[in-house]
Amino acid sequence: MALLEIRDLQTHYGAIEALHGISLTVERGQIVTLIGCNGAGKSTTLRAISGLIPVTSGSILFDGKPLVGVAPHEIVKLGVAHAPEGRGIFANLTVDENLDLGSYLRRDRDGIARDRERVFELFPRIRERLRQNAGTLSGGEQQMLAIGRALMARPRLLLLDEPSLGLAPQVVQTIFRIIREINAAGTTILLVEQNAHMALQTAHFAYVLEVGEIVMQDEAKKLAESDEVRKAYLGVA
Amino acid sequence: MTKFLQTLMDGISIGSLYALIALGYTMVYGILRFINFAHSDIFVLGAWLSFSVALCAGWTASGAPLLFPTWLWTVLIVVSVLGPLLYVVERTALPALRSSLGPRVPHALAGGFVVTAAVWAWVLVGLVFLARATTASASFRPLTGVVILVIAMGGCGLAGYLIERLAYKPLRAAPRLNVLITAIGISLFLQNSGQLKFLFGTQPQKMPELMENKPLAVVAGVAINRVDVIGAGTAVALMFALEWLVFHTRLGRAMQAVSYNTRVASLMGIDVDRVISFTFVLGSALAAAAGFLFVMKLPGALRQPADTGWVLLGLKAFVAAVVGGIGNIRGAMLGGLFIGLLEYFGVAYLRPELRDVYVFVLLIIVLLVRPSGLLGKATVEKV
């Protein structure tokens, strides 16, 4: 059984249908990416998985358990962590407190301490900035904090929403290297990206979303070589 | 000098009460971005509840203790039976209903909160009996005040919880104006139902003196009274407790997170609805404490529940929250003290008949010069 299975998912924003019945599967241990333009419905998909927006119809199964109608905090409890679009840093709190909130539901002190060390290994910058107000971090550091904070929940599935958005190319390289490291350590990742080039290089499997519908799906390598994708998303004529 | 010290003391003791009320306004605003206009009525409820429990416990002139009216027992028993019943329905039948009716099954069906409310109510009843017991024995009599304070805080906490669950929660997704109008409606409902004969009635009352108000010390000709010291002490202790709760506990951290970004807070695994409920309980309990301390200090000021004098007090506390920077907890404390001092110094040294004017002039100045308040940060209105 796949870790995440979405079947015919439909959502609405007011009267407008945002997702017209999409289906996708995330296999255990993989990085699956969802690429597409602005407004295609990528973030909406992640929000529906996390329970942030109501689902009109369709099903979302995580490890065989239905997620539709379940409250967001219960979904976190089941093992889904979501680093949201725009990073969602608590700028009124310190970096340390932000990380703490990531492990809000956990009680195992030793495990939390271990995971903190792991986050510091992945992102040495975070350790340096621990006492600092999170609002004073640079964009890249905030993204690192958002991912680190999501990891503090020790998720089985990590949802990443546009981790490269607004970052300098070098920082983007770093972030994607770390995403691969996180995956190599055993965390399954569903990655939403506009930066199709980086996403297809990193992921095992990819879906292309266009105005609320999945128009293509294949192994990331194959998609990166297909003419349509090269033309539309990789800027190759 | 005597006049100055006296004014300073009055200003601080009333100001700390404004601060306690202001905290409720500011915490709810911080989390839901709306002004809970029913909050000042919770303060009034706290004052009247203190009075009623004091009577119930046996502090009447005639000495005949008031008993619980039968309707209260009826409500309690009905709720206690209904709660578990609804809870079972919710756990067994509701999931099935959800799949057939969609996710929008009315929240009123949720039994969990009825159970919570029932348990809460029974604990309060138990405390009332404790108050009667302490009153009956001479050696425990000084403790009655503490028990009454706890009951007032618990009772108002329950009221705040129910108001939030029944009136505001169903409107979570509605435009903010709707919630605001609902709050005004709740305020009117509380003011007018409070006048019912079996609740508090339409007559002003006098709070019984729970402790002898003797001067503890005389400093530069100013008597420092026991009630003032205990009152201000309680207020300050509660504020320290709140400060600790918000800035040094897990729950407080969750409150800060929800206040900053509700959506992301839920992604951390925080049960946002519970945090909101808790915020209402906390704010209401603090307002109740202010109500109790207010009638302890001014026993003759227990006006009837819909008296405009109450509204004015609540409004001044609201001004305190705005002056301090709405949404900011330390700001509310500071603003409360500031407003209290301003009011009393204005009365003592300027013109006493302009008592209410000073506070509102300050509000206008703050809104013109520093609209975000003394400690507030300038923010862009979120739409």
Side-chain angles (χ1 to χ4, degrees):
Chain A
M1 183 179 39
L3 187 60
L4 184 78
E5 254 192 272
I6 298 179
R7 288 276 159 268
D8 303 318
L9 181 68
Q10 269 190 321
T11 63
H12 284 81
Y13 274 117
I16 302 158
E17 197 173 281
L19 295 178
H20 313 294
I22 67 163
S23 299
L24 65 86
T25 306
V26 178
E27 295 293 343
R28 259 169 242 274
Q30 291 204 333
I31 300 177
V32 173
T33 186
L34 194 56
I35 57 174
C37 309
N38 227 344
K42 306 186 301 292
S43 296
T44 307
T45 310
L46 293 193
R47 285 185 197 136
I49 297 169
S50 286
L52 291 176
I53 54 168
V55 167
T56 313
S57 70
S59 72
I60 303 172
L61 292 181
F62 174 68
D63 208 9
K65 291 189 203 80
L67 295 189
V68 174
V70 178
H73 67 271
E74 300 282 354
I75 291 175
V76 179
K77 221 176 274 178
L78 290 173
V80 180
H82 183 165
E85 192 180 16
R87 300 154 197 152
I89 291 304
F90 297 110
N92 57 336
L93 301 175
T94 63
V95 172
D96 198 10
E97 291 168 328
N98 267 276
L99 271 188
D100 251 13
L101 277 167
S103 56
Y104 183 78
L105 288 175
R106 294 174 61 186
R107 300 281 188 189
D108 54 323
R109 281 182 185 215
D110 299 345
I112 292 174
R114 259 195 312 262
D115 284 348
R116 274 174 82 92
E117 278 309 313
R118 197 177 143 231
V119 168
F120 295 150
E121 273 164 32
L122 290 170
F123 307 106
R125 288 270 204 84
I126 290 186
R127 196 206 297 265
E128 292 164 27
R129 305 256 185 270
L130 221 46
R131 304 271 153 239
Q132 217 167 306
N133 197 301
T136 63
L137 297 184
S138 72
E141 289 166 344
Q142 288 196 7
Q143 188 59 58
M144 293 175 188
L145 178 57
I147 297 175
R149 188 179 61 181
L151 284 178
M152 288 304 293
R154 186 174 282 190
R156 284 189 288 157
L157 175 65
L158 178 61
L159 308 177
L160 297 177
D161 198 342
E162 304 256 14
S164 75
L165 195 72
L167 301 184
Q170 235 178 353
V171 184
V172 172
Q173 292 287 347
T174 312
I175 296 266
F176 273 90
R177 177 177 52 79
I178 291 167
I179 290 173
R180 276 191 293 264
E181 273 177 43
I182 292 169
N183 175 250
T187 309
T188 309
I189 295 174
L190 176 55
L191 169 70
V192 150
E193 258 303 338
Q194 270 190 65
N195 186 338
H197 180 69
M198 286 305 295
L200 291 177
Q201 260 185 23
T202 307
H204 301 100
F205 202 87
Y207 292 86
V208 180
L209 199 61
E210 260 172 33
V211 276
E213 258 166 306
I214 287 183
V215 291
M216 271 183 277
Q217 62 185 75
D218 208 337
E219 279 171 38
K221 267 190 211 122
K222 286 188 190 156
L223 268 190
E225 283 158 12
S226 90
D227 285 343
E228 283 168 88
V229 170
R230 282 164 68 92
K231 225 189 249 169
Y233 296 101
L234 299 177
V236 184
Chain B
M1 188 62 185
T2 308
K3 187 180 172 189
F4 177 81
L5 280 179
Q6 185 65 54
T7 313
L8 188 68
M9 231 176 57
D10 285 337
I12 289 176
S13 70
I14 290 294
S16 59
L17 301 188
Y18 284 147
L20 281 181
I21 308 171
L23 283 167
Y25 279 116
T26 233
M27 283 194 295
V28 167
Y29 184 86
I31 283 185
L32 291 179
R33 300 284 181 275
F34 103 99
I35 308 294
N36 179 14
F37 276 110
H39 188 61
S40 68
D41 302 287
I42 296 287
F43 159 68
V44 180
L45 179 65
W48 273 95
L49 214 53
S50 309
F51 168 74
S52 310
V53 175
L55 285 200
C56 220
W59 293 85
T60 48
S62 59
L66 235 72
L67 282 170
F68 279 97
T70 30
W71 68 266
L72 190 63
W73 288 114
T74 320
V75 169
L76 263 179
I77 290 165
V78 167
V79 168
S80 306
V81 174
L82 206 63
L85 211 71
L86 278 176
Y87 188 74
V88 172
V89 170
E90 186 187 57
R91 288 287 132 152
T92 55
L94 210 60
L97 275 177
R98 279 229 171 87
S99 51
S100 61
L101 296 176
R104 288 175 179 276
V105 176
H107 278 291
L109 261 178
F113 99 96
V114 186
V115 175
T116 312
V119 169
W120 205 328
W122 281 108
V123 169
L124 287 173
V125 169
L127 280 171
V128 171
F129 282 100
L130 182 66
R132 291 179 72 168
T134 56
T135 306
S137 88
S139 48
F140 289 114
R141 242 171 130 84
L143 275 181
T144 315
V146 179
V147 180
I148 292 177
L149 175 68
V150 171
I151 295 171
M153 290 176 76
C156 286
L158 176 60
Y161 175 70
L162 290 176
I163 289 170
E164 196 277 322
R165 273 309 290 258
L166 296 173
Y168 302 148
K169 194 178 174 215
L171 298 175
R172 204 54 59 73
R176 248 181 293 166
L177 190 60
N178 300 21
V179 193
L180 203 70
I181 293 167
T182 307
I184 294 171
I186 294 289
S187 170
L188 289 173
F189 170 77
L190 289 177
Q191 284 177 20
N192 290 290
S193 56
Q195 294 179 75
L196 288 170
K197 206 162 46 187
F198 56 79
L199 282 173
F200 309 128
T202 54
Q203 294 304 310
Q205 298 283 355
K206 191 170 179 306
M207 181 72 182
E209 226 175 56
L210 296 182
M211 68 178 103
E212 201 189 341
N213 192 10
K214 61 180 180 204
L216 288 178
V218 178
V219 178
V222 182
I224 298 178
N225 292 318
R226 191 149 84 162
V227 168
D228 284 333
V229 172
I230 292 179
T234 310
V236 170
L238 285 172
M239 283 188 255
F240 270 110
L242 181 78
E243 169 93 11
W244 174 80
L245 184 88
V246 172
F247 294 104
H248 297 281
T249 65
R250 199 174 101 100
L251 189 61
R253 177 94 27 96
M255 286 172 72
Q256 285 175 278
V258 172
S259 154
Y260 190 79
N261 188 334
T262 311
R263 209 168 232 234
V264 179
S266 70
L267 291 181
M268 301 294 111
I270 295 170
D271 185 344
V272 171
D273 283 332
R274 254 174 73 183
V275 169
I276 291 173
S277 285
F278 181 75
T279 305
F280 269 85
V281 169
L282 205 60
S284 304
L286 291 177
F292 171 76
L293 297 173
F294 180 76
V295 287
M296 286 286 285
K297 183 173 167 60
L298 306 167
L302 195 58
R303 288 171 285 228
Q304 70 120 319
D307 192 283
T308 48
W310 291 120
V311 178
L312 205 56
L313 279 170
L315 219 51
K316 283 183 197 162
F318 171 59
V319 171
V322 174
V323 166
I326 191 124
N328 186 311
I329 285 175
R330 287 168 190 157
M333 300 182 192
L334 192 71
L337 280 179
F338 194 55
I339 294 284
L341 287 170
L342 176 76
E343 184 179 342
Y344 276 78
F345 274 98
V347 168
Y349 288 96
L350 299 167
R351 296 167 68 107
E353 67 270 28
L354 295 182
R355 160 174 226 133
D356 303 324
V357 175
Y358 306 122
V359 174
F360 295 105
V361 166
L362 176 72
L363 174 66
I364 293 170
I365 294 172
V366 166
L367 289 180
L368 286 175
V369 178
R370 203 182 150 79
S372 52
L374 294 177
L375 298 185
K377 287 198 191 83
T379 48
V380 183
E381 173 79 343
K382 277 195 255 175
V383 182

